Amino acid sequence: MKTNSTSNNILVLTDFSEASNIALRNAAKMVKLINGNIYVYHAHNIELPSVEQNQLTFNGRLREINRQTFVKAKEIISSIEKEQGINIEFTMDHGNIKNCISKKVREINPDLVILGRRKSKFLDFLGDKVTQFVIDHCDTSVLISGGNHELHSFSNLSLGFFGDTIEKSEFQIIEHLQESPRSIKYFGIRSRMPSAETTDAEQKTTTSYVFSQDGSKAIDALTSYVARTNTELFCIPKNNNTKLQPVKEMVNRLEIPILLYK
């Protein structure tokens, strides 16, 4: 399928679960916003045959798996293409899933990688802690789509940002998100604060929530407030500290879509 002539590339990793399908539908809406290309990629973990196994039998099994996968992908993707009026390119591979994803990321050089999230802990998506692998080892922004949270659009959202300000981003989606938000809230963690502070900013649509990092309850309070304020998309700057706490805890606990941006 043809793609648009632009450098904004979105790569969606799928295992064809409902969480993956929601992630793909969210990606289709985002790609229209930034006028970009959307690629869908699936890798299945199939062990190569041993010396004792029949190569022809293995090849036949692989062809059947590929055929079934393409049929499934075509059904899902065609529906979204027709609904959103976009073109989507699908590819697949087999082998070690992490190695396959790394190779695909190098090939496409996406501005954003999108994954779904099951109702269980996000680290189990696609198996073998693939989501954390993408966050830690892929030099790109990452959107972890909420398990049951399909966004109607990426405008007029209630946005939450981790930190005191919105850090400058290489990816245009941050600029687009700021053009017409319903509200913007900042959530921070600071030391030596006796309790949670809530301060109103100059604009009515902007609010700051700051929590003490003393003790283990700061993340509980922060994630609880994110939920209570009906935040629809939580944005975390992706920097050298993204691999560390409290970012992992926030990603693990929040059920809404999370954008780790660079």
Side-chain angles (χ1 to χ4, degrees):
M1 303 176 192
K2 289 185 179 181
T3 55
N4 300 319
S5 56
T6 175
S7 60
N8 292 319
N9 295 327
I10 294 178
L11 174 63
V12 182
L13 304 179
T14 183
D15 61 359
F16 302 107
S17 63
E18 180 56 28
S20 290
N21 295 341
I22 290 175
L24 179 53
R25 290 195 289 270
N26 283 334
K29 294 162 187 172
M30 179 180 286
V31 82
K32 292 178 67 178
L33 179 68
I34 64 173
N35 188 31
N37 304 320
I38 183 167
Y39 301 85
V40 177
Y41 182 66
H42 172 74
H44 40 254
N45 191 6
I46 300 180
E47 295 183 2
L48 295 175
S50 62
V51 176
E52 294 79 12
Q53 290 177 313
N54 188 306
Q55 184 68 45
L56 291 176
T57 301
F58 172 81
N59 290 341
R61 175 175 171 240
L62 182 60
R63 282 194 298 271
E64 179 59 21
I65 291 175
N66 288 344
R67 185 193 67 78
Q68 294 177 2
T69 302
F70 270 112
V71 169
K72 185 185 299 182
K74 183 177 180 181
E75 179 181 359
I76 296 170
I77 290 173
S78 295
S79 173
I80 294 175
E81 285 182 318
K82 182 177 180 180
E83 177 183 318
Q84 297 295 330
I86 60 173
N87 294 321
I88 298 174
E89 181 175 313
F90 173 74
T91 54
M92 62 179 294
D93 208 342
H94 68 277
N96 180 280
I97 293 180
K98 292 179 181 178
N99 292 340
C100 289
I101 291 173
S102 293
K103 179 181 177 182
K104 195 65 179 179
V105 168
R106 290 194 300 270
E107 174 189 333
I108 294 178
N109 190 27
D111 299 278
L112 178 69
V113 174
I114 299 182
L115 310 94
R117 171 167 42 187
R118 299 183 185 278
K119 293 181 180 180
S120 58
K121 288 188 176 181
F122 85 100
L123 294 177
D124 295 331
F125 179 76
L126 290 174
D128 201 20
K129 299 184 179 179
V130 167
T131 301
Q132 192 62 52
F133 170 79
V134 171
I135 293 173
D136 289 347
H137 300 286
C138 295
D139 186 24
T140 181
S141 298
V142 180
L143 174 63
I144 305 168
S145 189
N148 295 318
H149 291 75
E150 180 177 352
L151 299 174
H152 296 294
S153 73
F154 280 85
S155 61
N156 195 35
L157 286 176
S158 177
L159 301 173
F161 284 86
F162 181 58
D164 298 329
T165 60
I166 300 174
E167 295 192 12
K168 185 176 180 180
S169 174
E170 300 174 5
F171 191 39
Q172 294 179 3
I173 185 62
I174 296 298
E175 296 180 7
H176 287 297
L177 289 172
Q178 295 179 75
E179 289 176 357
S180 57
R182 185 163 69 255
S183 64
I184 295 178
K185 304 175 185 68
Y186 298 95
F187 298 85
I189 296 175
R190 296 178 185 169
S191 60
R192 297 187 181 90
M193 293 186 62
S195 60
E197 280 189 3
T198 302
T199 58
D200 293 330
E202 293 181 1
Q203 298 181 11
K204 294 181 179 179
T205 57
T206 305
T207 308
S208 295
Y209 300 90
V210 183
F211 304 89
S212 171
Q213 72 175 9
D214 298 330
S216 60
K217 295 184 178 181
I219 296 297
D220 290 335
L222 187 150
T223 53
S224 175
Y225 262 72
V226 170
R228 287 168 57 184
T229 57
N230 295 318
T231 299
E232 295 172 282
L233 177 64
F234 192 65
C235 305
I236 304 173
K238 189 179 182 186
N239 49 42
N240 293 333
N241 294 322
T242 303
K243 299 179 183 180
L244 306 176
Q245 306 294 359
V247 172
K248 284 185 179 180
E249 286 297 322
M250 289 187 290
V251 173
N252 198 19
R253 297 188 191 191
L254 290 171
E255 297 182 357
I256 60 173
I258 296 173
L259 175 63
L260 295 161
Y261 67 96
K262 64 183 292 289

